[in-house]
């Protein structure tokens, strides 16, 4: 993006527009005040979109289709999943719970073999050539799609009003409409009345507007009613009748999870019973337990090997994907040695979805040198990854009504959906993106962790 007089931008105008679009997130709710519904604030965002090369984006759009196909094949390979994740299950209660349930379903017979995946593959851009490198793939509750579409509208408004930039080069995300279309397509395949959104308790979920916008879109465009229930409420209010998941005497067609990916969502056996009820039913799940398991970082580590990939994909597809993968290792003697030689080139991270902080630098060195802690099974909780090192570019950030100018880096999530049964892929499409931007000296964080800003793509050529 070229420079232009951003001093002129009226922040109140931008924020009001964000509020009018529902481009907001919930404020943190105090645990002492759970009955009080929190307020909302405009999403932190950039005032200007980030430059991207069209060809790179086209390649990433193509790659999500290959990733979808790969993950679908892996998820349908029971032995592969089971063997790969057994060691992680020993030290991780969530993985253990999911794996047990998957085994039980396998024994009792899986009713619904149509799977819906709404996936988001995240990339950072390495070095001066901005080579896309995959960070991870999210196969459950991949969020912020609705809000990524909103920010395109905000940028369009800012460019039109305050600059003479060519707005036709802005490439806004279609994720809100894409996600709605994915859920609608599944809904059409399974007779029923509702789509169920499985959600977290109100006080945990600050990104509820992102979910609501999707709910509104489903009704506005397709007249599909959504119900929102926590796992506990599913257990109390839903039942199985002839393997159909019932709510108020009506069939739930599709179950879309925006919860269930952290152990904090399982307070007791009640939530696990709800998970069983859903999995056992004829509803189409987004995701099914095997898809959720397949999204674990341990699977990413195992698939980071051409030999393993050959079991699932043709050669030309493997080549396309492999360019995007960066080095990934489980924690063992060999990998520890490698990291300790060049610690600045690696990071350590938790296997878990939304696992939180990266470990790097001195903290990582300490942990790896003191392998006693890791030997006790902790090594299964982590993995080692080559550090992706993006070079910052100039941007202007807006957060809490304050402007910061500085060097920023991007993390781009490419959304795709896949609908398949055990014999064929029914649909496999790119459906939009999420671009998150942060100051270059800040290390990591999720969408709501307080460091990211919503951003959109501007084609620079
Ligand atoms: P989570 O499941 O917590 O989202 P991620 O793998 O996405 O885990 O890592 C969290 C954040 O850490 C990412 O959003 C990214 O900013 C940063 N990160 C992850 N892997 C790397 C890496 N290999 N190099 C540099 N930064 C990374
Ligand atoms: Mg992530």
């Amino acid at each position: 993006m070229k420079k232009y007089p951003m001093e002129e931008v009226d922040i109140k105008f931008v924020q009001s527009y964000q509020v009018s679009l529902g481009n907001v997130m919930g404020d943190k709710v105090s645990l002492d005040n759970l009955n009080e519904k929190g307020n909302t604030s405009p999403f932190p965002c950039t005032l200007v979109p980030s430059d991207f090369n069209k060809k790179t984006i086209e390649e990433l759009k193509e790659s999500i289709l290959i990733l979808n196909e790969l993950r679908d094949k892996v998820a349908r390979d029971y032995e592969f999943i089971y063997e790969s994740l057994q060691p992680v299950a020993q030290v991780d209660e969530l993985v253990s719970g999911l794996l047990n349930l998957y085994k039980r379903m396998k024994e009792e017979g899986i009713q619904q073999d149509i799977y819906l995946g709404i996936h988001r593959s995240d990339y950072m851009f390495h070095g001066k050539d901005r080579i896309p490198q995959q960070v991870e793939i999210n196969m459950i509750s991949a969020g912020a799609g609705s809000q990524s579409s909103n920010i395109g509208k905000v940028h369009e408004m800012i460019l039109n009003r305050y600059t003479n930039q060519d707005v036709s080069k802005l490439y806004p995300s279609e994720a809100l409409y894409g996600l709605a279309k994915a859920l609608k397509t599944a809904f059409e395949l399974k007779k029923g009345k509702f789509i169920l959104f499985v959600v977290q308790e109100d006080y945990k979920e600050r990104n509820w507007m992102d979910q609501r916008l999707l709910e509104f879109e489903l009704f506005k465009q397709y007249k599909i009613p959504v119900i929102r229930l926590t796992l506990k409420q599913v257990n109390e209010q839903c039942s199985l009748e002839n393997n159909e998941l019932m709510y108020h005497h009506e069939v739930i067609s599709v179950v879309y999870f925006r919860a269930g990916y952290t152990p904090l969502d399982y307070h007791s056996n009640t939530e696990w019973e709800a998970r069983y009820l859903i999995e056992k039913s004829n509803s189409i799940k987004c995701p099914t337990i095997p898809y959720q398991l397949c999204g674990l970082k341990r699977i990413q580590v195992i698939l980071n090997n051409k030999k393993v990939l050959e079991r699932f994909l043709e050669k030309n597809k493997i080549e396309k994907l492999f360019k995007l993968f960066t080095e990934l290792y489980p924690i063992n003697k060999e990998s520890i040695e490698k990291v300790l030689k060049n610690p600045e080139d690696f990071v350590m991270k938790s296997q878990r979805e939304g696992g939180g902080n990266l470990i790097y630098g001195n903290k990582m060195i300490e942990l790896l040198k003191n392998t006693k802690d890791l030997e006790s099974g902790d090594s299964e909780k982590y993995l080692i990854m080559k550090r992706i090192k993006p070079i910052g570019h100039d941007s202007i950030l807006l957060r809490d009504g304050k402007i910061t100018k500085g060097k920023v880096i991007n993390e781009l999530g490419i959304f795709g959906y896949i609908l398949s049964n055990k014999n064929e892929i029914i649909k496999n499409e790119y459906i939009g993106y999420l671009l998150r931007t942060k100051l270059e000296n800040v290390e990591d964080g999720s969408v709501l962790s307080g460091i990211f800003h919503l951003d959109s793509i501007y084609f620079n050529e």
Side-chain angles (χ1 to χ4, degrees), residues 223-403:
K223 298 285 176 295
I224 301 173
V226 164
I227 46 172
R228 291 167 59 86
L229 299 173
T230 62
L231 281 170
K232 183 160 180 271
Q233 289 169 327
V234 168
N235 197 44
E236 291 161 354
Q237 299 176 33
C238 298
S239 58
L240 273 188
E241 283 173 30
N242 298 325
N243 286 327
E244 299 293 356
L245 187 62
M246 307 297 291
Y247 176 76
H248 289 199
H249 310 291
E250 300 281 358
V251 171
I252 294 171
S253 296
V254 178
V255 182
Y256 173 55
F257 282 89
R258 291 293 290 252
Y261 51 86
T262 146
L264 301 175
D265 292 343
Y266 301 84
H267 301 283
S268 66
N269 212 29
T270 310
E271 285 80 12
W272 282 108
E273 278 168 19
R275 201 70 209 258
Y276 170 76
L277 206 67
I278 294 170
E279 206 64 21
K280 180 84 183 164
S281 78
N282 247 325
S283 308
I284 297 177
K285 275 77 73 180
C286 179
T288 61
I289 285 178
Y291 263 30
Q292 181 175 354
L293 287 169
C294 194
L296 293 171
K297 292 190 178 73
R298 170 53 61 100
I299 300 286
Q300 187 187 2
V301 175
I302 295 173
L303 291 177
N304 201 9
N305 177 323
K306 284 191 182 173
K307 279 260 154 353
V308 178
L309 289 176
E310 276 167 19
R311 178 162 164 179
F312 302 104
L313 288 178
E314 296 100 344
K315 275 235 158 57
N316 65 330
K317 290 181 178 169
I318 295 176
E319 292 307 323
K320 282 182 181 163
L321 278 192
F322 221 73
K323 282 200 302 201
L324 303 170
F325 292 175
T326 188
E327 290 171 39
L328 268 170
Y329 306 100
I331 296 199
N332 55 34
K333 251 193 159 144
E334 225 184 316
S335 63
I336 291 175
E337 218 165 83
K338 200 178 178 96
V339 174
L340 291 180
K341 266 188 207 148
N342 294 88
E344 67 286 357
D345 283 342
F346 295 92
V347 297
M348 234 172 112
K349 54 189 187 182
S350 159
Q351 302 266 15
R352 243 190 211 144
E353 201 77 38
N357 297 335
L358 283 186
I359 306 174
Y360 54 92
N362 285 337
K363 200 168 163 207
M364 174 179 73
I365 298 172
E366 288 282 285
L367 210 70
L368 291 180
K369 276 191 174 155
N370 192 356
T371 41
K372 259 197 263 105
D373 287 349
L374 293 173
E375 275 161 18
S376 64
D378 268 4
S379 57
E380 299 297 344
K381 290 188 186 164
Y382 298 102
L383 58 88
I384 285 169
M385 192 170 183
K386 186 99 185 257
R387 189 170 188 162
I388 307 164
K389 296 179 180 169
I391 293 176
H393 61 271
D394 289 320
S395 188
I396 307 165
L397 307 173
L398 172 60
R399 169 186 295 275
D400 297 333
K402 290 193 201 73
I403 297 278

